[in-house]
Amino acid sequence: MRTPIKVLIFSTIGLSLLAVLVPELQMLLALSWVGIKNYYYWQVLTYAFITPGSVSVGFFFQLGFNMYVLWMFGTSLLERTQAKLFLTLYLGAIILPGLSVLAIPNAVLAGSTTAVYAILVAWMMLNSGARLLLFFTIPFKAQWLVVGLIAFTLFVNISSHYWVGAISLTASILYSYLFTLIVWKQLGPFPILHPFERRFLSLFEKKVKQPKQRTKIFDIKSGSPVLNDDQFMDAMLEKISTRGKESLSPEEKKRMKEISERKK
């Protein structure tokens, strides 16, 4: 188990058990309007490190499920990215949903569900097409299991009028989706959304700096160096890989076609 995962799991389990033994800690650590009015600003972060409720089967099931998901899918994410980015995703999925529920009067929020679901969404996007075993026996596409779990949780929250849970979960999912799309430049597992995702991603991309050109020929209108055929094809292929084929202008497509025909 990697160090960031160990720290998150052990701190969540430790604080959750301590808060059960000392109920006053739940008032200090859970996010609430009363706490914020009393300048307990740390609650925007600490609420995710305690599990609400008293000692019961439900308490241990929720704590165990969340920590299992964090261990299993969080470890997989850490193998593909830096610890700094992983912690930015995890902590951001705590703070942003916490701030979002403060729009609800007398809101109270506790539990690591928001952060855990953010990990699930990011893992789903980075492992598009992966399969998981439903009930440890039935292979199932991961994206449908994750979407189904999210839909079920939202349905339970909304049907029981638990708007704090519904809003915080929605904020967490959107944050994780946009974080994975923008930071890791990873499209989602649903092709129908890819055109929108590519256009959205192009808004955040920095212009790729062209390498220094050896040619001393410059375009009269733009003043930029004229690329030779090989340099032009390399630049266009890089553009397609990051922004999609539809990002090419008609002139660029025409020149690519002419170069391809000349090389036949």
Side-chain angles (χ1 to χ4, degrees), residues 121 125 172-181 193 196-197:
V121 170
M125 292 179 67
S172 171
I173 293 166
L174 287 175
Y175 169 77
S176 179
Y177 171 74
L178 294 175
F179 184 93
T180 308
L181 181 64
L193 296 177
F196 160 76
E197 291 171 339

Side-chain angles (χ1 to χ4, degrees), residues 157-217:
N157 287 337
I158 293 172
S159 61
S160 60
H161 302 288
Y162 181 44
W163 302 113
V164 171
I167 291 174
S168 62
L169 181 59
T170 302
S172 171
I173 293 166
L174 287 175
Y175 169 77
S176 179
Y177 171 74
L178 294 175
F179 184 93
T180 308
L181 181 64
I182 296 169
V183 176
W184 287 316
K185 295 180 172 56
Q186 179 63 51
L187 303 183
F190 304 107
I192 193 173
L193 296 177
H194 288 178
F196 160 76
E197 291 171 339
R198 288 194 181 99
R199 291 191 188 96
F200 182 80
L201 187 59
S202 67
L203 300 176
F204 295 87
E205 287 181 340
K206 296 179 180 178
K207 289 186 177 180
V208 179
K209 292 183 178 179
Q210 297 291 347
K212 292 182 179 179
Q213 309 299 332
R214 295 178 181 177
T215 177
K216 293 185 179 180
I217 303 174

Side-chain angles (χ1 to χ4, degrees), residues 1-2 5-6 9 64-77 86 116 119:
M1 190 186 301
R2 294 175 177 263
I5 301 293
K6 286 181 182 178
I9 289 178
F65 175 78
N66 286 348
M67 294 304 97
Y68 173 76
V69 171
L70 175 57
W71 165 71
M72 182 175 178
F73 297 98
T75 301
S76 178
L77 276 182
F86 174 83
V116 166
I119 296 297

Side-chain angles (χ1 to χ4, degrees), residues 218-252:
F218 291 83
D219 185 90
I220 295 176
K221 294 182 179 179
S222 64
S224 58
V226 176
L227 304 180
N228 62 37
D229 288 350
D230 291 336
Q231 293 169 339
F232 177 80
M233 291 297 285
D234 289 341
M236 293 303 100
L237 290 174
E238 184 175 359
K239 186 176 182 180
I240 291 172
S241 67
T242 57
R243 298 173 58 183
K245 191 174 181 179
E246 63 273 10
S247 64
L248 298 178
S249 67
E251 292 78 13
E252 290 170 336

Side-chain angles (χ1 to χ4, degrees), residues 11-219:
S11 59
T12 302
I13 293 175
L15 285 174
S16 294
L17 295 176
L18 189 60
V20 168
L21 297 174
V22 186
E24 291 78 9
L25 276 179
Q26 292 200 23
M27 297 179 62
L28 288 174
L29 301 180
L31 178 62
S32 67
W33 259 115
V34 175
I36 296 300
K37 287 179 179 178
N38 285 285
Y39 308 107
Y40 298 166
Y41 297 132
W42 60 79
Q43 292 182 347
V44 177
L45 182 64
T46 58
Y47 79 87
F49 291 89
I50 62 171
T51 301
S54 56
V55 176
S56 63
V57 174
F59 170 86
F60 286 107
F61 176 81
Q62 182 180 355
L63 178 60
F65 175 78
N66 286 348
M67 294 304 97
Y68 173 76
V69 171
L70 175 57
W71 165 71
M72 182 175 178
F73 297 98
T75 301
S76 178
L77 276 182
L78 266 177
E79 291 174 352
R80 301 187 57 175
T81 188
Q82 300 173 352
K84 180 171 63 176
L85 289 178
F86 174 83
L87 290 174
T88 301
L89 170 66
Y90 192 86
L91 297 178
I94 295 173
I95 296 172
L96 184 62
L99 293 175
S100 68
V101 301
L102 290 178
I104 303 175
N106 302 317
V108 178
L109 181 63
S112 56
T113 301
T114 57
V116 166
Y117 274 65
I119 296 297
L120 271 176
V121 170
W123 181 89
M124 174 188 69
M125 292 179 67
L126 290 172
N127 294 274
S128 180
R131 290 179 176 270
L132 295 174
L133 293 178
L134 182 63
F135 303 120
F136 302 101
T137 55
I138 307 171
F140 214 85
K141 282 192 175 181
Q143 63 258 38
W144 294 116
L145 280 178
V146 174
V147 169
L149 182 60
I150 291 171
F152 174 76
T153 306
L154 284 174
F155 173 77
V156 171
N157 287 337
I158 293 172
S159 61
S160 60
H161 302 288
Y162 181 44
W163 302 113
V164 171
I167 291 174
S168 62
L169 181 59
T170 302
S172 171
I173 293 166
L174 287 175
Y175 169 77
S176 179
Y177 171 74
L178 294 175
F179 184 93
T180 308
L181 181 64
I182 296 169
V183 176
W184 287 316
K185 295 180 172 56
Q186 179 63 51
L187 303 183
F190 304 107
I192 193 173
L193 296 177
H194 288 178
F196 160 76
E197 291 171 339
R198 288 194 181 99
R199 291 191 188 96
F200 182 80
L201 187 59
S202 67
L203 300 176
F204 295 87
E205 287 181 340
K206 296 179 180 178
K207 289 186 177 180
V208 179
K209 292 183 178 179
Q210 297 291 347
K212 292 182 179 179
Q213 309 299 332
R214 295 178 181 177
T215 177
K216 293 185 179 180
I217 303 174
F218 291 83
D219 185 90

